[in-house]
Amino acid sequence: MKETKKQPIYYILIGILLILSYQLIFPAIIYMIFPDLAKTDNPILINLFNIGYTLFTVLFFCILYRKSLKEEGKEFLKNKKAFAKKGIQAWLKGLGTMILSNLIVISIAGSMAGNEIQNRDILAQYPYFAVISMCLFGPFIEEIVFRKSFRKAFQNKYVFAIVTSFIFASLHVLNGFEELTLTCILNNWTQLLFLFPYGSLAFFFALAYYDTDNIFTSTLAHCLHNTFTILLVFLTR
Protein backbone atom coordinates (compact mmCIF):
# COMPACT_ATOMS: atom_id res chain seq x y z
CA MET A 1 0.00 0.00 0.00
CA LYS A 2 1.29 3.44 -0.92
CA GLU A 3 2.19 5.52 2.10
CA THR A 4 0.01 8.60 2.55
CA LYS A 5 2.00 11.81 2.32
CA LYS A 6 1.81 13.70 5.59
CA GLN A 7 0.71 17.33 5.49
CA PRO A 8 3.01 20.16 6.67
CA ILE A 9 0.76 20.77 9.69
CA TYR A 10 1.66 17.27 10.92
CA TYR A 11 5.35 18.15 11.11
CA ILE A 12 4.59 21.55 12.65
CA LEU A 13 2.60 19.84 15.41
CA ILE A 14 5.42 17.31 15.92
CA GLY A 15 7.90 20.16 16.23
CA ILE A 16 5.74 21.98 18.77
CA LEU A 17 5.32 18.75 20.75
CA LEU A 18 9.08 18.21 20.85
CA ILE A 19 9.64 21.77 22.04
CA LEU A 20 7.10 21.28 24.82
CA SER A 21 8.73 17.96 25.71
CA TYR A 22 12.19 19.50 25.87
CA GLN A 23 11.13 22.61 27.79
CA LEU A 24 8.37 21.29 30.07
CA ILE A 25 7.38 17.64 29.87
CA PHE A 26 10.78 15.95 30.37
CA PRO A 27 11.74 18.10 33.40
CA ALA A 28 8.24 17.57 34.87
CA ILE A 29 8.58 13.79 34.53
CA ILE A 30 11.94 13.80 36.29
CA TYR A 31 10.56 16.01 39.09
CA MET A 32 7.62 13.61 39.47
CA ILE A 33 10.00 10.67 39.84
CA PHE A 34 12.38 12.60 42.12
CA PRO A 35 10.22 15.27 43.86
CA ASP A 36 12.99 16.31 46.25
CA LEU A 37 15.00 17.67 43.32
CA ALA A 38 12.54 20.53 42.95
CA LYS A 39 13.30 21.72 46.49
CA THR A 40 17.01 21.06 46.86
CA ASP A 41 19.82 23.61 46.66
CA ASN A 42 22.46 20.90 46.90
CA PRO A 43 24.87 21.55 43.97
CA ILE A 44 25.69 17.84 43.62
CA LEU A 45 22.02 16.87 43.26
CA ILE A 46 21.37 19.77 40.90
CA ASN A 47 24.32 18.68 38.77
CA LEU A 48 23.04 15.11 38.73
CA PHE A 49 19.60 16.33 37.68
CA ASN A 50 21.05 18.46 34.89
CA ILE A 51 23.25 15.65 33.63
CA GLY A 52 20.43 13.10 33.84
CA TYR A 53 17.97 15.40 32.08
CA THR A 54 20.45 16.20 29.30
CA LEU A 55 21.47 12.59 28.70
CA PHE A 56 17.85 11.43 28.77
CA THR A 57 16.92 14.07 26.18
CA VAL A 58 19.84 13.17 23.92
CA LEU A 59 18.97 9.47 24.15
CA PHE A 60 15.30 10.17 23.42
CA PHE A 61 16.07 12.12 20.24
CA CYS A 62 18.68 9.60 19.12
CA ILE A 63 16.07 6.85 19.36
CA LEU A 64 13.34 8.97 17.78
CA TYR A 65 15.47 9.90 14.76
CA ARG A 66 17.80 6.91 14.81
CA LYS A 67 17.41 6.04 11.12
CA SER A 68 17.92 9.52 9.69
CA LEU A 69 20.68 10.38 12.19
CA LYS A 70 22.57 7.26 11.19
CA GLU A 71 22.24 8.10 7.49
CA GLU A 72 23.17 11.75 8.01
CA GLY A 73 26.13 10.76 10.17
CA LYS A 74 27.51 8.58 7.39
CA GLU A 75 26.85 11.30 4.82
CA PHE A 76 28.58 13.91 6.99
CA LEU A 77 31.69 11.76 7.35
CA LYS A 78 31.68 11.09 3.62
CA ASN A 79 31.51 14.81 2.81
CA LYS A 80 33.08 16.15 5.99
CA LYS A 81 35.20 18.85 4.33
CA ALA A 82 32.36 20.34 2.29
CA PHE A 83 29.83 20.10 5.13
CA ALA A 84 32.29 21.43 7.72
CA LYS A 85 33.10 24.37 5.44
CA LYS A 86 29.40 25.09 5.03
CA GLY A 87 28.89 24.94 8.80
CA ILE A 88 31.85 27.23 9.54
CA GLN A 89 30.72 29.74 6.93
CA ALA A 90 27.22 29.74 8.40
CA TRP A 91 28.60 30.33 11.89
CA LEU A 92 30.84 33.22 10.78
CA LYS A 93 27.96 34.91 8.93
CA GLY A 94 25.66 34.38 11.91
CA LEU A 95 28.31 35.54 14.37
CA GLY A 96 28.95 38.77 12.48
CA THR A 97 25.25 39.55 12.17
CA MET A 98 24.62 38.63 15.78
CA ILE A 99 27.45 40.81 17.13
CA LEU A 100 26.29 43.84 15.16
CA SER A 101 22.61 43.48 16.11
CA ASN A 102 23.56 42.63 19.71
CA LEU A 103 25.54 45.88 20.09
CA ILE A 104 22.58 47.88 18.80
CA VAL A 105 20.05 46.09 21.02
CA ILE A 106 22.26 46.31 24.15
CA SER A 107 22.62 50.07 23.59
CA ILE A 108 18.82 50.32 23.63
CA ALA A 109 18.06 47.76 26.36
CA GLY A 110 20.92 48.84 28.61
CA SER A 111 21.87 45.24 29.43
CA MET A 112 22.62 41.91 27.82
CA ALA A 113 19.93 39.31 27.11
CA GLY A 114 18.37 37.69 30.18
CA ASN A 115 19.04 34.25 28.71
CA GLU A 116 22.73 35.14 28.40
CA ILE A 117 22.85 36.26 32.03
CA GLN A 118 21.28 32.96 33.10
CA ASN A 119 23.79 30.97 31.05
CA ARG A 120 26.67 32.86 32.64
CA ASP A 121 25.27 32.13 36.10
CA ILE A 122 25.03 28.41 35.26
CA LEU A 123 28.57 28.50 33.91
CA ALA A 124 29.80 30.08 37.14
CA GLN A 125 27.92 27.69 39.45
CA TYR A 126 28.28 24.43 37.50
CA PRO A 127 31.23 24.95 35.14
CA TYR A 128 31.94 21.31 34.26
CA PHE A 129 28.36 20.44 33.45
CA ALA A 130 27.80 23.76 31.67
CA VAL A 131 30.81 23.38 29.38
CA ILE A 132 29.89 19.83 28.33
CA SER A 133 26.21 20.66 27.94
CA MET A 134 26.59 23.98 26.12
CA CYS A 135 29.41 22.90 23.83
CA LEU A 136 28.18 19.41 22.88
CA PHE A 137 24.80 18.12 24.02
CA GLY A 138 22.91 21.41 24.03
CA PRO A 139 23.60 22.28 20.37
CA PHE A 140 22.68 18.75 19.25
CA ILE A 141 19.39 18.82 21.17
CA GLU A 142 18.46 22.29 19.95
CA GLU A 143 19.27 21.49 16.31
CA ILE A 144 16.96 18.48 16.54
CA VAL A 145 14.18 20.38 18.31
CA PHE A 146 14.24 23.70 16.49
CA ARG A 147 15.32 22.62 13.02
CA LYS A 148 15.18 18.92 12.20
CA SER A 149 11.69 18.43 13.63
CA PHE A 150 10.33 21.20 11.36
CA ARG A 151 12.31 20.38 8.20
CA LYS A 152 9.55 18.56 6.29
CA ALA A 153 6.98 21.25 7.09
CA PHE A 154 8.56 23.82 4.75
CA GLN A 155 9.59 23.42 1.11
CA ASN A 156 11.04 26.92 0.73
CA LYS A 157 14.37 27.23 2.51
CA TYR A 158 13.94 30.90 3.38
CA VAL A 159 10.51 30.33 4.87
CA PHE A 160 11.98 27.41 6.79
CA ALA A 161 14.91 29.53 8.00
CA ILE A 162 12.74 32.51 9.03
CA VAL A 163 10.08 30.47 10.86
CA THR A 164 12.49 28.17 12.71
CA SER A 165 14.85 31.01 13.63
CA PHE A 166 11.91 32.96 15.05
CA ILE A 167 10.85 29.95 17.15
CA PHE A 168 14.45 29.42 18.31
CA ALA A 169 14.91 33.09 19.20
CA SER A 170 11.52 33.34 20.93
CA LEU A 171 12.21 30.43 23.28
CA HIS A 172 15.65 31.78 24.17
CA VAL A 173 14.34 35.28 24.82
CA LEU A 174 11.33 34.08 26.85
CA ASN A 175 13.62 31.87 28.95
CA GLY A 176 15.38 35.05 30.02
CA PHE A 177 12.35 36.56 31.75
CA GLU A 178 12.06 36.06 35.50
CA GLU A 179 8.32 35.39 35.10
CA LEU A 180 6.33 34.61 31.98
CA THR A 181 3.57 37.05 32.79
CA LEU A 182 2.25 39.88 30.66
CA THR A 183 3.25 42.40 33.33
CA CYS A 184 6.82 41.13 33.49
CA ILE A 185 7.16 41.09 29.70
CA LEU A 186 5.73 44.61 29.32
CA ASN A 187 7.97 45.96 32.08
CA ASN A 188 10.99 44.44 30.35
CA TRP A 189 9.87 44.83 26.74
CA THR A 190 13.35 45.77 25.53
CA GLN A 191 14.35 42.13 26.11
CA LEU A 192 12.15 41.27 23.12
CA LEU A 193 14.61 43.14 20.91
CA PHE A 194 17.06 40.29 21.46
CA LEU A 195 14.90 38.31 19.04
CA PHE A 196 17.06 39.88 16.31
CA PRO A 197 20.51 38.72 17.54
CA TYR A 198 19.30 35.21 18.42
CA GLY A 199 17.22 34.98 15.26
CA SER A 200 20.01 36.12 12.95
CA LEU A 201 22.33 33.42 14.23
CA ALA A 202 19.65 30.75 13.96
CA PHE A 203 18.76 31.91 10.43
CA PHE A 204 22.21 31.01 9.09
CA PHE A 205 22.23 27.71 11.01
CA ALA A 206 18.92 26.85 9.34
CA LEU A 207 20.23 27.69 5.86
CA ALA A 208 23.30 25.49 6.41
CA TYR A 209 21.08 22.60 7.47
CA TYR A 210 18.69 23.08 4.56
CA ASP A 211 21.45 23.36 1.94
CA THR A 212 23.22 20.18 3.06
CA ASP A 213 20.12 18.36 4.34
CA ASN A 214 22.34 17.21 7.20
CA ILE A 215 21.68 18.15 10.83
CA PHE A 216 25.33 17.63 11.74
CA THR A 217 26.28 20.63 9.58
CA SER A 218 24.24 23.06 11.67
CA THR A 219 25.15 21.19 14.86
CA LEU A 220 28.83 21.80 14.09
CA ALA A 221 28.13 25.50 13.58
CA HIS A 222 26.15 25.62 16.83
CA CYS A 223 28.92 23.83 18.76
CA LEU A 224 31.52 26.24 17.39
CA HIS A 225 29.46 29.24 18.43
CA ASN A 226 28.78 28.03 21.98
CA THR A 227 32.42 26.99 22.49
CA PHE A 228 33.65 30.36 21.21
CA THR A 229 31.20 32.20 23.48
CA ILE A 230 32.23 30.22 26.56
CA LEU A 231 35.93 30.84 25.85
CA LEU A 232 35.21 34.56 25.65
CA VAL A 233 33.39 34.44 28.99
CA PHE A 234 36.36 32.71 30.66
CA LEU A 235 38.91 35.04 29.07
CA THR A 236 37.06 38.23 30.04
CA ARG A 237 36.49 37.34 33.69
Side-chain angles (χ1 to χ4, degrees):
M1 181 181 292
K2 187 177 180 180
E3 185 179 355
T4 303
K5 186 177 180 181
K6 295 181 175 66
Q7 296 298 313
I9 188 65
Y10 169 83
Y11 296 104
I12 292 174
L13 291 174
I14 290 296
I16 293 173
L17 179 60
L18 291 183
I19 290 174
L20 292 175
S21 298
Y22 171 53
Q23 292 281 317
L24 301 172
I25 298 174
F26 291 167
I29 290 173
I30 294 177
Y31 281 135
M32 284 177 62
I33 298 173
F34 306 102
D36 290 340
L37 283 175
K39 308 171 187 176
T40 186
D41 56 359
N42 186 314
I44 296 177
L45 290 179
I46 294 174
N47 263 306
L48 287 174
F49 164 74
N50 289 334
I51 292 170
Y53 164 64
T54 301
L55 292 177
F56 172 79
T57 306
V58 169
L59 180 62
F60 176 84
F61 288 130
C62 283
I63 293 173
L64 183 65
Y65 289 106
R66 60 189 180 279
K67 185 177 179 180
S68 61
L69 286 175
K70 184 177 180 180
E71 292 173 353
E72 290 175 39
K74 290 180 179 178
E75 188 68 17
F76 185 86
L77 292 175
K78 183 179 178 181
N79 301 280
K80 53 183 176 292
K81 289 185 178 180
F83 285 1
K85 181 180 179 180
K86 192 75 175 180
I88 293 171
Q89 288 175 339
W91 170 56
L92 292 175
K93 291 176 183 177
L95 179 65
T97 309
M98 185 180 193
I99 290 174
L100 179 60
S101 57
N102 218 16
L103 289 173
I104 296 172
V105 172
I106 288 176
S107 69
I108 298 172
S111 65
M112 66 177 67
N115 183 73
E116 177 65 21
I117 294 173
Q118 289 180 359
N119 285 338
R120 290 183 180 225
D121 288 341
I122 293 172
L123 192 59
Q125 295 179 50
Y126 316 107
Y128 299 113
F129 162 75
V131 168
I132 295 173
S133 176
M134 293 178 186
C135 293
L136 295 175
F137 296 128
F140 173 74
I141 293 171
E142 292 189 348
E143 290 305 308
I144 295 288
V145 171
F146 295 108
R147 273 170 275 284
K148 188 174 180 63
S149 63
F150 289 97
R151 173 62 184 85
K152 294 182 179 179
F154 304 98
Q155 299 305 311
N156 183 288
K157 76 173 181 178
Y158 292 105
V159 174
F160 167 74
I162 291 170
V163 173
T164 56
S165 61
F166 177 75
I167 294 171
F168 175 90
S170 297
L171 266 293
H172 280 71
V173 170
L174 291 176
N175 281 339
F177 284 98
E178 292 182 5
E179 297 178 358
L180 283 181
T181 62
L182 183 59
T183 301
C184 183
I185 293 174
L186 290 176
N187 288 339
N188 300 276
W189 67 268
T190 54
Q191 281 293 309
L192 296 176
L193 297 176
F194 285 100
L195 286 169
F196 293 100
Y198 280 114
S200 62
L201 184 70
F203 178 81
F204 288 103
F205 288 173
L207 290 183
Y209 169 43
Y210 196 102
D211 287 342
T212 60
D213 200 26
N214 196 296
I215 199 63
F216 294 106
T217 303
S218 56
T219 299
L220 172 64
H222 204 148
C223 289
L224 285 172
H225 177 75
N226 285 14
T227 302
F228 175 75
T229 303
I230 287 174
L231 285 174
L232 279 182
V233 171
F234 281 133
L235 290 174
T236 54
R237 278 182 174 178

